[in-house]
Amino acid sequence: MSVALRIIPCLDVHDGRVVKGVNFTNLRDAGDPVELAARYSAEGADELTFLDISASSDGRATTREMVARCAETVFIPLTVGGGVRSVADVDLLLRSGADKVGINTGALARPSAIDEIAHAFGDQVLVLSVDARREPGMPSGFGVTTHGGRRSAGVDALAWVREACDRGVGEILLNSMDADGTTGGFDIEMITAVRAIADVPLIASGGAGTVEHFVAAAAAGADAVLAASVFHYGTLTIDQVKAGLRDAGFTVR
C-alpha cells in the first residue's frame, strides 16, 4: 500500500507575522500565523511548517509563544525551524507544542548536533532543512546555501544530505533557492537527485505555482510537497492540489 502524499503549507514567520517574498527578499505580510494555521487545518492540510526567518533570541521567544497558541488551536503535526542549534533548543520547541523541529544553519555549523538531537529525541522529530541552489562548481551541481540563499556554504548538497541521513535525521526538507517564491515550478532535477540518495522521507519545497507542479514533484519522488505563496494568496486551495494529485494516481489523505 502506498503512503499518502502530504500537503504542507509553510508559514515563514518574521516578528510574529507570516511573510512571503521571492528568493527570500521583498517580503510581504501574509497574515497572523495562528489564524492561518487554523484555516489550513480546516482546509485539510496534513501538516504545517513554521520557519522563523528572524531567528534572534527575541524571535525564538515569539516563535515559542506562537507554537503554543497553534498547538492549542490545530491538531495536525507542526514542524518548527529557525535558530535551532542544540538539544536544548529542540527541547524548548517540543515543550511548546512542536511535533517536529527543523535544523539548518545550526547543523552546517556543527554536524554532530544532528547525532545529539536524534539520540535525545529519536530521528522522527528531526527535519533537516536544506536550502540548495544550482552551483556549477559542486560535484553534484547543487550547493547548500545559508542566509536565505544569499551565501554559499561551500558544501555539496547531495554530500550533505547523505551525511545528515547517516547521522540520523528523520526527514529532508529540500528547498530550491532558485525557485523559491517564483511559482515557476519545483526543481525536478534536484528532487530526483536527492531522492536517489536519501533513505528518509523527502519534502519538496520552492516554486509551486500550479497543481501540475505538485504532481511533477510527486512523480519525481517527493513524499510531501510544501508551498506558501499559492496558499497564502488564494491561487490554489489544498483541496484543488489534492484533487489534482488524486487524478494523477497518487494517494492523498
Side-chain angles (χ1 to χ4, degrees):
M1 180 179 146
S2 59
V3 175
L5 200 79
R6 290 168 288 147
I7 304 302
I8 308 174
C10 181
L11 291 83
D12 293 321
V13 180
H14 178 69
D15 293 338
R17 298 288 292 177
V18 176
V19 295
K20 190 59 196 170
V22 177
N23 305 128
F24 280 60
T25 60
N26 301 320
L27 300 178
R28 285 198 291 161
D29 188 278
D32 175 76
V34 181
E35 287 173 12
L36 275 176
R39 188 184 105 199
Y40 291 139
S41 177
E43 289 177 0
D46 299 305
E47 296 182 11
L48 291 169
T49 292
F50 295 93
L51 298 178
D52 174 5
I53 63 171
S54 55
S56 64
S57 55
D58 288 350
R60 283 198 291 273
T62 304
T63 302
R64 289 200 300 274
E65 181 197 339
M66 177 204 69
V67 170
R69 285 164 56 217
C70 284
E72 290 167 3
T73 308
V74 304
F75 301 98
I76 55 176
L78 306 176
T79 299
V80 184
V84 172
R85 292 182 175 82
S86 66
V87 166
D89 292 336
V90 174
D91 187 51
L92 276 173
L93 288 169
L94 294 177
R95 287 174 187 274
S96 299
D99 298 282
K100 295 188 275 189
V101 174
I103 190 169
N104 185 341
T105 309
L108 283 163
R110 196 172 64 85
S112 59
I114 296 173
D115 309 67
E116 293 163 11
I117 293 164
H119 178 74
F121 303 106
D123 59 4
Q124 75 283 352
V125 309
L126 188 58
V127 180
L128 181 75
S129 184
V130 181
D131 290 338
R133 69 176 179 212
R134 288 167 183 270
E135 206 170 320
M138 290 294 168
S140 70
F142 300 106
V144 180
T145 70
T146 60
H147 301 81
R150 292 186 299 277
R151 201 176 293 178
S152 171
V155 175
D156 182 82
L158 267 60
W160 177 229
V161 166
R162 194 178 284 115
E163 178 182 349
C165 288
D166 289 344
R167 286 181 178 274
V169 297
E171 202 161 31
I172 302 291
L173 168 53
L174 179 67
N175 188 33
S176 166
M177 299 311 296
D178 297 319
D180 181 81
T182 64
T183 67
F186 293 92
D187 189 327
I188 300 303
E189 190 183 343
M190 184 190 288
I191 294 168
T192 304
V194 172
R195 174 74 289 163
I197 60 153
D199 55 1
V200 299
L202 174 61
I203 306 166
S205 169
T210 68
V211 170
E212 290 73 25
H213 293 157
F214 286 84
V215 172
D223 300 282
V225 190
L226 178 145
S229 309
V230 289
F231 294 143
H232 297 343
Y233 302 124
T235 312
L236 293 174
T237 66
I238 292 162
D239 272 347
Q240 285 174 316
V241 172
K242 288 192 172 185
L245 287 163
R246 229 178 256 117
D247 290 346
F250 293 97
T251 303
V252 295
R253 293 178 188 173

